Amino acid sequence: MESKVKHLMYVPFTGLGLYGGFRGKRWLRNRVKIFCQFVVPSLLSQSSQNFIIWVSWRHEDRNLEEVQSLKTYLETLFGRERVVFTYSGVCFWDDKHPDDVARLRLINAIHGSTGALLNILGECDEVLMTIQPSDDCYSLRSVEQIQKYFHELPDIQALGFKQGYVMDYTTLTVAEWNPNTTPPFFTIRFKKDVFSNPLSHVEYTGPYKSHEYIGDKLKLGLFEERGFLVGTHGENISTVFTHPFRGKILEGQEKEETLKAFGLNQTPPLKLKISLRKALMRKLPHGWQRKLRYWFGERMYAKIYEFIRS
Protein backbone atom coordinates (compact mmCIF):
# COMPACT_ATOMS: atom_id res chain seq x y z
CA MET A 1 0.00 0.00 0.00
CA GLU A 2 1.43 3.38 -1.03
CA SER A 3 2.30 5.83 1.76
CA LYS A 4 0.31 9.03 2.08
CA VAL A 5 2.73 11.97 2.18
CA LYS A 6 2.27 15.62 3.18
CA HIS A 7 4.84 18.23 2.16
CA LEU A 8 5.62 21.26 4.33
CA MET A 9 7.46 24.27 2.93
CA TYR A 10 8.88 25.55 6.23
CA VAL A 11 9.54 29.30 6.55
CA PRO A 12 11.35 30.25 9.81
CA PHE A 13 10.45 33.93 9.89
CA THR A 14 11.54 35.16 13.35
CA GLY A 15 13.41 33.72 16.32
CA LEU A 16 16.61 32.60 14.59
CA GLY A 17 20.09 33.88 15.39
CA LEU A 18 21.19 37.32 16.52
CA TYR A 19 19.05 39.85 18.41
CA GLY A 20 16.68 37.11 19.53
CA GLY A 21 15.73 36.58 15.90
CA PHE A 22 13.93 39.92 15.66
CA ARG A 23 15.51 43.22 14.68
CA GLY A 24 12.59 45.60 15.03
CA LYS A 25 9.39 46.58 13.25
CA ARG A 26 11.16 48.19 10.27
CA TRP A 27 13.18 45.02 9.74
CA LEU A 28 10.02 42.90 9.94
CA ARG A 29 8.14 45.07 7.44
CA ASN A 30 11.10 44.88 5.04
CA ARG A 31 11.36 41.11 5.47
CA VAL A 32 7.66 40.62 4.79
CA LYS A 33 7.96 42.79 1.68
CA ILE A 34 10.86 40.69 0.39
CA PHE A 35 8.93 37.49 1.07
CA CYS A 36 5.83 38.72 -0.76
CA GLN A 37 7.70 40.24 -3.70
CA PHE A 38 10.07 37.33 -4.41
CA VAL A 39 9.30 34.14 -2.49
CA VAL A 40 5.51 34.11 -2.89
CA PRO A 41 5.59 34.39 -6.72
CA SER A 42 8.08 31.55 -6.82
CA LEU A 43 5.84 29.38 -4.64
CA LEU A 44 2.78 30.25 -6.71
CA SER A 45 4.66 29.21 -9.86
CA GLN A 46 5.69 25.75 -8.59
CA SER A 47 4.72 23.05 -11.10
CA SER A 48 3.26 21.03 -8.21
CA GLN A 49 1.05 22.88 -5.74
CA ASN A 50 0.84 19.82 -3.49
CA PHE A 51 2.41 21.48 -0.44
CA ILE A 52 1.53 23.36 2.75
CA ILE A 53 3.22 26.64 3.71
CA TRP A 54 4.32 26.51 7.36
CA VAL A 55 5.56 29.81 8.81
CA SER A 56 7.02 29.90 12.32
CA TRP A 57 7.24 32.90 14.64
CA ARG A 58 8.15 33.71 18.22
CA HIS A 59 5.30 33.60 20.74
CA GLU A 60 5.39 37.38 21.16
CA ASP A 61 4.81 37.93 17.43
CA ARG A 62 1.36 36.32 17.42
CA ASN A 63 -0.68 39.52 17.57
CA LEU A 64 1.51 41.76 15.41
CA GLU A 65 -0.42 43.39 12.59
CA GLU A 66 2.28 42.47 10.07
CA VAL A 67 2.03 38.80 11.04
CA GLN A 68 -1.75 38.52 10.87
CA SER A 69 -1.89 40.51 7.63
CA LEU A 70 0.61 38.12 6.05
CA LYS A 71 -1.41 35.12 7.23
CA THR A 72 -4.58 36.52 5.64
CA TYR A 73 -2.69 37.31 2.42
CA LEU A 74 -1.27 33.79 2.12
CA GLU A 75 -4.62 32.18 2.93
CA THR A 76 -6.21 34.27 0.17
CA LEU A 77 -3.62 33.11 -2.37
CA PHE A 78 -3.17 29.46 -1.36
CA GLY A 79 -6.30 28.63 0.67
CA ARG A 80 -6.65 28.22 4.43
CA GLU A 81 -6.09 24.47 4.15
CA ARG A 82 -2.58 25.10 2.80
CA VAL A 83 -1.26 27.69 5.29
CA VAL A 84 -0.31 27.22 8.94
CA PHE A 85 1.38 29.70 11.31
CA THR A 86 2.99 28.52 14.56
CA TYR A 87 4.25 30.68 17.42
CA SER A 88 6.76 28.67 19.45
CA GLY A 89 10.01 29.58 17.71
CA VAL A 90 12.29 28.00 15.13
CA CYS A 91 11.93 24.26 14.56
CA PHE A 92 15.52 23.48 13.72
CA TRP A 93 18.80 23.76 15.65
CA ASP A 94 19.96 27.35 16.27
CA ASP A 95 23.75 27.27 16.61
CA LYS A 96 23.85 30.80 18.00
CA HIS A 97 23.08 29.27 21.42
CA PRO A 98 25.05 26.84 23.62
CA ASP A 99 24.21 23.21 22.84
CA ASP A 100 22.10 22.59 25.94
CA VAL A 101 20.08 25.76 25.36
CA ALA A 102 19.72 25.10 21.62
CA ARG A 103 18.46 21.56 22.23
CA LEU A 104 15.87 22.66 24.77
CA ARG A 105 14.71 25.51 22.54
CA LEU A 106 14.26 23.10 19.63
CA ILE A 107 12.31 20.57 21.70
CA ASN A 108 10.04 23.32 23.05
CA ALA A 109 9.53 24.79 19.58
CA ILE A 110 8.47 21.44 18.12
CA HIS A 111 6.23 20.71 21.10
CA GLY A 112 4.54 24.12 20.80
CA SER A 113 3.94 23.68 17.06
CA THR A 114 2.63 20.13 17.09
CA GLY A 115 -1.07 20.86 17.65
CA ALA A 116 -1.44 23.28 14.74
CA LEU A 117 0.66 21.07 12.46
CA LEU A 118 -1.28 17.89 13.20
CA ASN A 119 -4.53 19.73 12.50
CA ILE A 120 -3.41 20.80 9.03
CA LEU A 121 -1.53 17.59 8.17
CA GLY A 122 -4.53 15.37 8.80
CA GLU A 123 -4.17 11.71 7.89
CA CYS A 124 -0.76 10.85 6.47
CA ASP A 125 2.08 8.39 6.90
CA GLU A 126 5.07 10.59 6.11
CA VAL A 127 5.96 14.28 6.30
CA LEU A 128 8.42 16.07 4.02
CA MET A 129 9.89 19.21 5.62
CA THR A 130 11.58 21.54 3.13
CA ILE A 131 13.55 24.49 4.53
CA GLN A 132 12.14 27.54 2.71
CA PRO A 133 14.06 30.66 3.86
CA SER A 134 11.94 33.80 3.93
CA ASP A 135 14.12 35.57 1.36
CA ASP A 136 15.30 32.74 -0.94
CA CYS A 137 13.58 30.80 -3.74
CA TYR A 138 13.39 27.35 -5.31
CA SER A 139 13.19 26.65 -9.04
CA LEU A 140 9.71 25.95 -10.34
CA ARG A 141 9.99 22.16 -10.56
CA SER A 142 11.64 21.70 -7.17
CA VAL A 143 8.56 20.58 -5.23
CA GLU A 144 7.64 18.14 -8.00
CA GLN A 145 11.19 16.76 -8.21
CA ILE A 146 11.59 16.41 -4.42
CA GLN A 147 8.39 14.42 -4.11
CA LYS A 148 9.22 12.29 -7.15
CA TYR A 149 12.69 11.34 -5.95
CA PHE A 150 11.58 10.55 -2.40
CA HIS A 151 8.96 8.25 -3.91
CA GLU A 152 11.52 6.53 -6.15
CA LEU A 153 14.28 6.34 -3.51
CA PRO A 154 12.66 4.96 -0.32
CA ASP A 155 15.97 4.70 1.57
CA ILE A 156 16.86 8.38 1.20
CA GLN A 157 16.12 10.43 4.35
CA ALA A 158 17.04 13.89 3.05
CA LEU A 159 17.39 15.58 -0.34
CA GLY A 160 19.17 18.82 -1.17
CA PHE A 161 20.72 20.88 -3.94
CA LYS A 162 24.48 21.21 -4.46
CA GLN A 163 24.45 24.54 -6.30
CA GLY A 164 22.18 27.40 -7.22
CA TYR A 165 22.15 31.08 -8.04
CA VAL A 166 22.45 34.34 -6.15
CA MET A 167 20.48 37.47 -6.92
CA ASP A 168 20.77 41.07 -5.80
CA TYR A 169 17.10 41.89 -5.38
CA THR A 170 17.77 45.62 -5.55
CA THR A 171 19.32 45.46 -9.04
CA LEU A 172 18.03 42.05 -10.30
CA THR A 173 21.63 41.02 -11.05
CA VAL A 174 21.94 37.21 -11.11
CA ALA A 175 25.04 35.01 -10.79
CA GLU A 176 25.90 31.38 -10.22
CA TRP A 177 26.28 30.26 -6.58
CA ASN A 178 28.87 27.54 -5.95
CA PRO A 179 29.08 26.67 -2.23
CA ASN A 180 31.71 24.28 -0.92
CA THR A 181 29.44 22.93 1.85
CA THR A 182 25.89 21.54 1.87
CA PRO A 183 23.61 24.58 1.36
CA PRO A 184 20.54 25.20 3.58
CA PHE A 185 18.18 24.10 0.80
CA PHE A 186 17.13 20.59 1.69
CA THR A 187 14.14 18.44 2.60
CA ILE A 188 13.94 15.88 5.41
CA ARG A 189 11.62 12.89 5.24
CA PHE A 190 9.96 11.89 8.54
CA LYS A 191 7.51 9.25 9.60
CA LYS A 192 4.57 11.25 10.92
CA ASP A 193 4.86 9.95 14.49
CA VAL A 194 8.59 10.81 14.56
CA PHE A 195 7.99 14.29 13.11
CA SER A 196 5.34 15.18 15.71
CA ASN A 197 7.20 13.81 18.76
CA PRO A 198 9.76 16.43 19.92
CA LEU A 199 12.28 13.97 21.38
CA SER A 200 12.00 11.54 18.46
CA HIS A 201 12.23 14.43 16.00
CA VAL A 202 15.50 15.72 17.51
CA GLU A 203 16.95 12.21 17.83
CA TYR A 204 16.11 11.39 14.20
CA THR A 205 17.77 14.47 12.72
CA GLY A 206 20.93 14.15 14.77
CA PRO A 207 20.46 16.96 15.62
CA TYR A 208 22.18 18.71 12.73
CA LYS A 209 23.67 21.82 14.33
CA SER A 210 24.04 23.58 10.99
CA HIS A 211 22.98 22.84 7.44
CA GLU A 212 26.53 21.75 6.55
CA TYR A 213 26.06 18.63 8.71
CA ILE A 214 22.65 17.42 7.52
CA GLY A 215 24.29 14.39 5.91
CA ASP A 216 26.23 13.32 9.01
CA LYS A 217 23.40 11.16 10.35
CA LEU A 218 20.71 11.21 7.67
CA LYS A 219 21.18 9.45 4.34
CA LEU A 220 21.43 12.46 2.04
CA GLY A 221 20.87 12.69 -1.70
CA LEU A 222 21.91 15.77 -3.67
CA PHE A 223 20.52 17.16 -6.93
CA GLU A 224 23.20 18.18 -9.40
CA GLU A 225 21.20 20.98 -11.06
CA ARG A 226 21.00 24.54 -9.76
CA GLY A 227 17.72 24.44 -7.86
CA PHE A 228 17.79 27.40 -5.47
CA LEU A 229 18.28 31.15 -5.58
CA VAL A 230 19.88 33.05 -2.69
CA GLY A 231 18.43 36.52 -2.28
CA THR A 232 20.63 39.45 -1.20
CA HIS A 233 19.10 42.80 -0.34
CA GLY A 234 21.10 44.58 2.36
CA GLU A 235 19.07 43.05 5.20
CA ASN A 236 21.22 39.89 5.29
CA ILE A 237 23.63 39.37 8.15
CA SER A 238 26.23 37.20 6.43
CA THR A 239 25.22 36.70 2.78
CA VAL A 240 26.21 39.38 0.28
CA PHE A 241 26.22 39.37 -3.52
CA THR A 242 30.03 39.61 -3.56
CA HIS A 243 30.40 36.46 -1.41
CA PRO A 244 33.26 34.10 -2.42
CA PHE A 245 30.66 31.48 -3.43
CA ARG A 246 29.49 33.73 -6.25
CA GLY A 247 30.43 32.58 -9.73
CA LYS A 248 29.68 33.80 -13.25
CA ILE A 249 27.26 36.74 -13.60
CA LEU A 250 24.45 35.90 -16.02
CA GLU A 251 23.58 38.14 -18.93
CA GLY A 252 20.98 38.36 -21.71
CA GLN A 253 18.91 35.31 -22.56
CA GLU A 254 20.63 33.13 -19.96
CA LYS A 255 19.61 35.56 -17.22
CA GLU A 256 16.04 35.84 -18.55
CA GLU A 257 15.62 32.07 -18.71
CA THR A 258 16.94 31.73 -15.16
CA LEU A 259 14.49 34.33 -13.86
CA LYS A 260 11.65 32.47 -15.60
CA ALA A 261 12.81 29.22 -14.03
CA PHE A 262 12.19 30.78 -10.60
CA GLY A 263 8.98 32.64 -11.48
CA LEU A 264 10.70 36.02 -11.10
CA ASN A 265 10.83 37.33 -14.67
CA GLN A 266 8.04 39.86 -13.97
CA THR A 267 9.34 40.97 -10.56
CA PRO A 268 10.62 44.58 -10.29
CA PRO A 269 13.73 45.61 -8.33
CA LEU A 270 13.35 45.76 -4.57
CA LYS A 271 13.08 49.11 -2.81
CA LEU A 272 13.32 49.17 0.98
CA LYS A 273 13.09 51.87 3.62
CA ILE A 274 16.18 51.74 5.81
CA SER A 275 17.26 53.64 8.91
CA LEU A 276 20.07 56.23 8.97
CA ARG A 277 22.10 53.88 11.18
CA LYS A 278 21.84 51.10 8.62
CA ALA A 279 22.60 53.46 5.73
CA LEU A 280 25.81 54.53 7.48
CA MET A 281 26.69 50.92 8.33
CA ARG A 282 26.43 49.90 4.67
CA LYS A 283 29.10 52.45 3.73
CA LEU A 284 31.63 50.41 5.75
CA PRO A 285 33.52 47.46 4.24
CA HIS A 286 31.55 44.24 4.69
CA GLY A 287 34.21 42.79 7.00
CA TRP A 288 33.77 45.71 9.39
CA GLN A 289 29.99 45.35 9.23
CA ARG A 290 30.24 41.70 10.27
CA LYS A 291 32.60 42.53 13.16
CA LEU A 292 30.30 45.26 14.46
CA ARG A 293 27.25 43.00 14.21
CA TYR A 294 29.15 40.26 16.01
CA TRP A 295 30.34 42.41 18.91
CA PHE A 296 27.25 44.57 19.38
CA GLY A 297 24.77 41.88 18.36
CA GLU A 298 25.82 38.35 19.15
CA ARG A 299 28.30 38.99 21.97
CA MET A 300 26.31 41.64 23.84
CA TYR A 301 23.01 39.78 23.33
CA ALA A 302 24.60 36.57 24.63
CA LYS A 303 25.80 38.37 27.78
CA ILE A 304 22.33 39.77 28.43
CA TYR A 305 20.74 36.35 27.79
CA GLU A 306 23.13 34.63 30.19
CA PHE A 307 22.45 37.29 32.86
CA ILE A 308 18.68 36.78 32.56
CA ARG A 309 19.05 32.98 32.79
CA SER A 310 21.20 33.27 35.91
Side-chain angles (χ1 to χ4, degrees):
M1 184 175 180
E2 190 169 307
S3 296
K4 188 174 182 180
V5 180
K6 293 292 181 72
H7 191 167
L8 296 169
M9 300 296 285
Y10 173 49
V11 186
F13 224 101
T14 61
L16 179 67
L18 302 179
Y19 312 102
F22 186 88
R23 287 183 276 158
K25 285 289 191 73
R26 188 196 300 269
W27 169 84
L28 178 60
R29 286 192 294 269
N30 285 343
R31 202 73 175 196
V32 169
K33 181 176 182 180
I34 292 165
F35 180 71
C36 292
Q37 186 172 332
F38 291 89
V39 181
V40 169
S42 184
L43 289 170
L44 283 169
S45 300
Q46 285 293 324
S47 59
S48 170
Q49 289 292 304
N50 184 24
F51 60 86
I52 296 166
I53 299 172
W54 167 24
V55 188
S56 70
W57 307 86
R58 306 174 307 162
H59 175 75
E60 54 266 45
D61 302 327
R62 178 185 292 270
N63 296 318
L64 292 178
E65 180 183 351
E66 293 84 357
V67 173
Q68 293 308 312
S69 295
L70 179 59
K71 186 172 188 288
T72 300
Y73 177 65
L74 292 177
E75 288 175 344
T76 301
L77 292 176
F78 294 93
R80 295 185 65 181
E81 72 282 357
R82 291 181 57 203
V83 177
V84 59
F85 277 29
T86 58
Y87 302 95
S88 58
V90 175
C91 289
F92 57 72
W93 191 279
D94 188 347
D95 61 2
K96 295 298 188 293
H97 298 279
D99 284 359
D100 59 331
V101 176
R103 186 174 190 275
L104 182 60
R105 285 169 63 92
L106 176 56
I107 290 170
N108 289 338
I110 296 167
H111 176 73
S113 302
T114 298
L117 291 171
L118 289 177
N119 283 340
I120 203 161
L121 287 171
E123 294 296 323
C124 65
D125 303 302
E126 294 183 345
V127 177
L128 305 182
M129 177 181 170
T130 297
I131 306 300
Q132 167 63 79
S134 64
D135 55 353
D136 301 325
C137 304
Y138 285 95
S139 59
L140 303 188
R141 292 188 61 245
S142 292
V143 169
E144 179 184 349
Q145 286 179 300
I146 289 166
Q147 294 174 3
K148 176 178 181 288
Y149 278 94
F150 270 123
H151 178 72
E152 294 178 352
L153 302 169
D155 293 334
I156 291 292
Q157 296 171 301
L159 277 171
F161 290 91
K162 280 186 177 182
Q163 297 177 321
Y165 299 95
V166 61
M167 181 175 179
D168 183 338
Y169 287 164
T170 65
T171 64
L172 304 186
T173 309
V174 182
E176 293 177 349
W177 187 255
N178 305 311
N180 55 21
T181 61
T182 303
F185 298 94
F186 55 82
T187 303
I188 301 174
R189 180 192 350 224
F190 296 85
K191 294 295 184 183
K192 183 183 178 183
D193 59 340
V194 173
F195 174 79
S196 59
N197 182 302
L199 294 178
S200 299
H201 186 121
V202 173
E203 174 61 25
Y204 175 73
T205 58
Y208 59 94
K209 297 181 182 180
S210 182
H211 55 84
E212 293 96 335
Y213 311 118
I214 186 63
D216 284 5
K217 184 170 183 180
L218 298 177
K219 189 172 182 181
L220 175 66
L222 291 171
F223 292 108
E224 295 292 336
E225 68 243 50
R226 298 182 183 274
F228 63 84
L229 184 145
V230 176
T232 67
H233 40 73
E235 296 285 293
N236 316 74
I237 290 179
S238 58
T239 307
V240 291
F241 189 73
T242 55
H243 194 283
F245 290 169
R246 192 191 80 185
K248 179 186 70 174
I249 293 180
L250 307 188
E251 304 284 355
Q253 185 177 354
E254 186 179 19
K255 174 185 174 181
E256 184 65 20
E257 289 177 355
T258 300
L259 291 175
K260 285 181 180 178
F262 286 86
L264 300 177
N265 53 308
Q266 300 297 322
T267 303
L270 177 68
K271 294 183 179 179
L272 296 177
K273 293 181 180 179
I274 63 173
S275 65
L276 177 61
R277 175 192 59 80
K278 187 166 289 186
L280 293 173
M281 175 79 89
R282 289 180 185 175
K283 293 183 181 297
L284 297 173
H286 183 66
W288 280 99
Q289 293 183 40
R290 293 192 65 180
K291 287 179 181 178
L292 288 171
R293 288 193 182 105
Y294 174 74
W295 284 103
F296 292 101
E298 183 173 350
R299 291 297 296 271
M300 290 184 68
Y301 177 79
K303 294 292 185 184
I304 295 169
Y305 187 83
E306 290 169 8
F307 174 76
I308 292 172
R309 287 186 74 217
S310 63

